[in-house]
């Protein structure tokens, strides 16, 4: 048995034990229960990015815009996001609490999480704020709230009615703490931090971009979803503009000001792992449920939205898939960089909407370079091969269970 096979076998055993932990098991059960809401949430984002926002794909291509509906659309998508996250935190609190205390009523726990979640989002009425879905913080919050209730009930030393003054008082304390911690939980603050981080000129160098290619999927794996809009930071926007002006003036990419940046390297050639897994579900799995998940996930995955796969497959917090999630974007980004460095394809200088499917993004950004399209297809195949052994193990475990 090879070292890789031994390592994969150990990882599989750890993965099975991990999924039976009360909190993790509760998370996966909760996502199955809210799958319909997740689908609505994901497709609301896709429709907005394709048709309804100013920087959407089709308004950009066809040069049309109805300015009056942009705030309305953003508000509707924001409301759907908040509803999804509130349902998640409320049901997760119930599932986790009932695994810890199966004979206890979870009503007050659910009410506490409902109000705590709504409190953390109540001031997000700025249409320009990009909602960063911080499920990781919600999971930590549920863990802390449920265990605080259990500890509090032990300290009381005698059973209390779920809606007793003592329990309601504890709920009020938790909601107050959530309100105090709100600035640290607010996605606008996280967005500002990420924007400042991405604006550094260090991301005009390949080592920093490869480190970023490791960090971004790790954030997704733990439940922090970063919108692609944030990838075009001020530094990237400057690089895009100067590169395009140089190319239009000189008609060459030789000595271009920013041959490497987040946009023309990372955004062009990475994050194809979700699409790879979706293709494996569609064409390799014999499970009807997996195939349907692949069908529902195909369109979002083409636009780099992998939430259904993260939550419903699941990939979220699952040890088995952490390695391919980290390796795939690093390898594909490196191969794309080498393709540009070796002059197999030209440097992408044209800005395309971030809602453009990854399959044709490099093709359009290089003004129709067919080799760029071929490289994009190759990168998807490479990503499929990276995910394949881990997917096979997951299928085998699914059959055994």
């Amino acid at each position: 048995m090879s070292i890789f096979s031994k390592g994969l076998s150990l990882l599989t055993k750890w993965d099975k034990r991990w999924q039976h932990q009360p909190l993790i098991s509760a998370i996966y059960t909760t996502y199955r229960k809210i799958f319909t809401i997740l689908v609505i949430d994901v497709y609301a984002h896709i429709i907005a990015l394709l048709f309804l926002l100013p920087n959407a794909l089709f308004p950009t291509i066809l040069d049309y815009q109805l300015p009056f509906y942009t705030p309305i659309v953003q508000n509707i998508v924001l409301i759907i996001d908040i509803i999804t996250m509130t349902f998640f935190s409320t049901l997760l609190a119930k599932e986790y609490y009932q695994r810890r205390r199966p004979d206890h009523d979870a009503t007050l726990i659910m009410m506490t999480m409902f109000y705590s979640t709504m409190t953390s989002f109540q001031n997000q009425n700025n249409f320009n704020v990009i909602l960063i879905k911080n499920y990781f913080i919600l999971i930590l919050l549920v863990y802390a709230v449920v265990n605080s209730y259990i500890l509090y009930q032990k300290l009381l030393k005698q059973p209390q009615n779920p809606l007793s003054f003592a329990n309601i008082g504890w709920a009020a304390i938790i909601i107050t703490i959530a309100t105090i911690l709100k600035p640290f939980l607010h996605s606008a603050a996280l967005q500002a931090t990420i924007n400042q981080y991405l604006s550094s000129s260090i991301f005009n160098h390949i080592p920093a971009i490869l480190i970023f290619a490791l960090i971004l999927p790790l954030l997704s794996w733990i439940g922090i979803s970063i919108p692609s809009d944030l990838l075009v930071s001020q530094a990237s926007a400057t690089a895009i503009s100067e590169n395009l002006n140089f190319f239009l003036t000189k008609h060459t990419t030789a000595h271009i000001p920013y041959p490497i940046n987040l946009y023309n390297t990372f955004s062009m050639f990475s994050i194809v792992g979700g699409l790879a897994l979706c293709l494996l579900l569609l064409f390799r799995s014999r499970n009807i449920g997996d195939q349907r998940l692949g069908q529902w996930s195909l369109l979002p995955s083409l636009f780099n939205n992998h939430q259904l796969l993260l939550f419903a497959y699941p990939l979220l917090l699952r040890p088995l898939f952490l390695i391919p999630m980290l390796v795939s974007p690093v390898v594909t980004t490196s191969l794309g960089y080498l393709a540009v460095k070796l002059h197999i394809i030209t440097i992408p200088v044209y800005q395309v909407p971030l809602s453009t499917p990854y399959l044709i993004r490099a093709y359009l950004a290089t003004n129709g370079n067919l080799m760029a399209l071929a490289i994009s297809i190759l990168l998807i195949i490479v990503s499929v091969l990276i995910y394949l052994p881990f997917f096979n193990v997951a299928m085998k475990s699914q059959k055994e269970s």
Side-chain angles (χ1 to χ4, degrees), residues 231-232 261-270 354 358 361:
L231 296 182
V232 179
N261 57 67
L262 275 177
Y263 174 75
N264 68 15
T265 305
F266 180 81
S267 297
M268 290 294 118
F269 304 114
S270 69
L354 288 174
Y358 269 84
R361 182 174 290 186

Side-chain angles (χ1 to χ4, degrees), residues 162-283:
L163 298 181
S164 66
F165 177 79
N167 280 331
I168 292 177
W170 188 248
I173 292 173
I174 292 173
I175 293 171
T176 302
I177 293 173
T179 304
I180 294 172
L181 294 177
K182 180 177 177 178
F184 302 98
L185 304 177
H186 208 281
S187 70
L190 181 57
Q191 176 184 331
T193 301
I194 294 173
N195 265 327
Q196 183 179 5
Y197 174 66
L198 294 180
S199 295
S200 171
S201 60
I202 193 175
F203 289 104
N204 293 329
H205 304 279
I206 192 63
I209 291 176
L210 292 181
I211 292 172
F212 183 72
L214 273 174
I215 293 173
L216 197 65
L218 180 61
L219 290 176
S220 297
W221 185 78
I222 67 174
I224 301 176
S225 181
I226 306 299
S228 58
D229 307 56
L230 294 184
L231 296 182
V232 179
S233 60
Q234 185 60 44
S236 289
T238 300
I240 294 167
S241 176
E242 292 193 20
N243 280 353
L244 182 58
N245 289 335
F246 181 91
F247 178 76
L248 294 176
T249 304
K250 306 290 186 179
H251 304 289
T252 179
T253 57
H255 309 295
I256 201 165
Y258 299 95
I260 302 169
N261 57 67
L262 275 177
Y263 174 75
N264 68 15
T265 305
F266 180 81
S267 297
M268 290 294 118
F269 304 114
S270 69
I271 317 296
V272 295
L275 179 57
L277 181 58
C278 183
L279 294 173
L280 287 171
L281 287 171
L282 283 171
F283 298 110

